[in-house]
Amino acid sequence: MGRFGKKRIGLLTPAGNTTIEDDFARWMPDSLRLHVNRLFTGSPRNPNTPEGLLTGLQEMGDAVEEPARLLGTAKVDVIAFGCTGGSFLNGPGYDREITEKISAAAGGAKAVTAAGAVTDALKELGVRKIAVCTPYPEELNERLRSFYTAAGFDIVSFAYEDGGIPQDSVADARETALRMALGVDTPEAEAILISCTAFEGAGESVELIEDLTGKPVVTSNQATFWACLRALGVSEHIPGTGRLMAEGVAV
């Protein structure tokens, strides 16, 4: 715990991803403080190819100890690995491998991953049949399906946009998130998952999508933030985060 009794969240985010830290900063209650460090990769690559993306995700996990160690010097109470694909990349149990690395490197701080947080959030909501939308290429979508199916979920509908999420404006990003979420919804789906911590506009669209579909919505950033609060024993209601935190966090 930091000065003046404020608990501290540490966030590890892919170098070019500002979306998750923007979402965390918007949701952060006054009782907490946020500290951010970048995840890095070690080899030159083209992230716009599936091979380059998968290599980069692997390298972030392989090299997570040093950024976690540096973040640990801020005396954070919990550290979030803010990359969904990077934490489900190698199948069941890989997310736990990452949390163990982070915790050890950061001097024992609690740790959560985006992929693990999504799993826990969906279970907290009591759903099994999910509709999923992503901005991933198919090579990464295959790994997502495998990870969440192994976690006990039935993916009843799936949609993706390989080209990523429009970055021209916040309005365009929100429109894309809304369009994809409504498009992937089916009558049998019990919840909608919007995967990717860099999915611009998703975090700001949760409650609108829930209102239009009547179903809970889980996003990577919302679930990761929820998991951090739960790890800290913080039960505050966070406006704008949908049903997952509608009445505060169950701790």
Side-chain angles (χ1 to χ4, degrees):
M1 186 177 295
R3 295 177 64 197
F4 312 117
K6 301 282 187 179
K7 292 184 178 180
R8 298 181 180 275
I9 293 177
L11 173 62
L12 294 171
T13 177
N17 179 355
T18 58
T19 302
I20 187 169
E21 63 188 302
D22 286 346
D23 282 346
F24 270 43
R26 184 173 67 255
W27 295 328
M28 192 69 56
D30 187 60
S31 61
L32 301 177
R33 291 293 180 264
L34 177 65
H35 303 275
V36 183
N37 199 8
R38 299 345 257 191
L39 293 163
F40 55 83
T41 58
S43 64
R45 70 189 198 287
N46 181 355
N48 295 318
T49 66
E51 296 77 12
L53 173 62
L54 295 178
T55 297
L57 293 175
Q58 184 65 60
E59 290 175 344
M60 282 191 288
D62 291 345
V64 74
E65 285 97 341
E66 181 59 13
R69 184 189 67 79
L70 291 172
L71 195 51
T73 64
K75 306 300 181 186
V76 293
D77 299 287
V78 63
I79 295 178
F81 182 84
C83 182
T84 324
S87 47
F88 66 61
L89 184 68
N90 293 324
Y94 184 61
D95 56 319
R96 291 190 296 275
E97 291 180 24
I98 291 178
T99 59
E100 289 168 3
K101 285 183 179 180
I102 291 172
S103 184
K110 296 177 181 179
V112 302
T113 68
V118 166
T119 297
D120 291 343
L122 290 168
K123 290 180 177 179
E124 177 71 18
L125 290 166
V127 300
R128 188 178 67 83
K129 296 181 178 181
I130 58 174
V132 181
C133 51
T134 85
Y136 304 144
E138 182 55 21
E139 290 82 352
L140 189 56
N141 285 325
E142 290 175 2
R143 301 189 187 209
L144 179 151
R145 293 186 188 97
S146 176
F147 184 88
Y148 289 114
T149 298
F153 300 104
D154 182 6
I155 300 174
V156 298
S157 181
F158 200 102
Y160 68 98
E161 294 201 4
D162 197 341
I165 303 304
Q167 301 292 329
D168 295 337
S169 70
V170 173
D172 287 343
R174 289 174 180 166
E175 182 179 341
T176 299
L178 179 61
R179 172 177 54 78
M180 290 187 71
L182 296 180
V184 80
D185 184 29
T186 65
E188 60 182 325
E190 298 169 332
I192 299 169
L193 168 60
I194 305 176
S195 185
C196 185
T197 62
F199 203 127
E200 184 76 34
E204 297 154 295
S205 304
V206 169
E207 292 190 340
L208 175 58
I209 297 168
E210 289 188 341
D211 287 345
L212 292 173
T213 64
K215 299 174 182 179
V217 173
V218 171
T219 76
S220 293
N221 294 352
Q222 165 227 41
T224 306
F225 189 73
W226 167 82
C228 288
L229 297 192
R230 191 172 66 157
L232 295 177
V234 174
S235 59
E236 291 189 43
H237 165 58
I238 308 298
T241 53
R243 293 190 197 178
L244 183 61
M245 290 185 272
E247 297 179 0
V249 178
V251 295

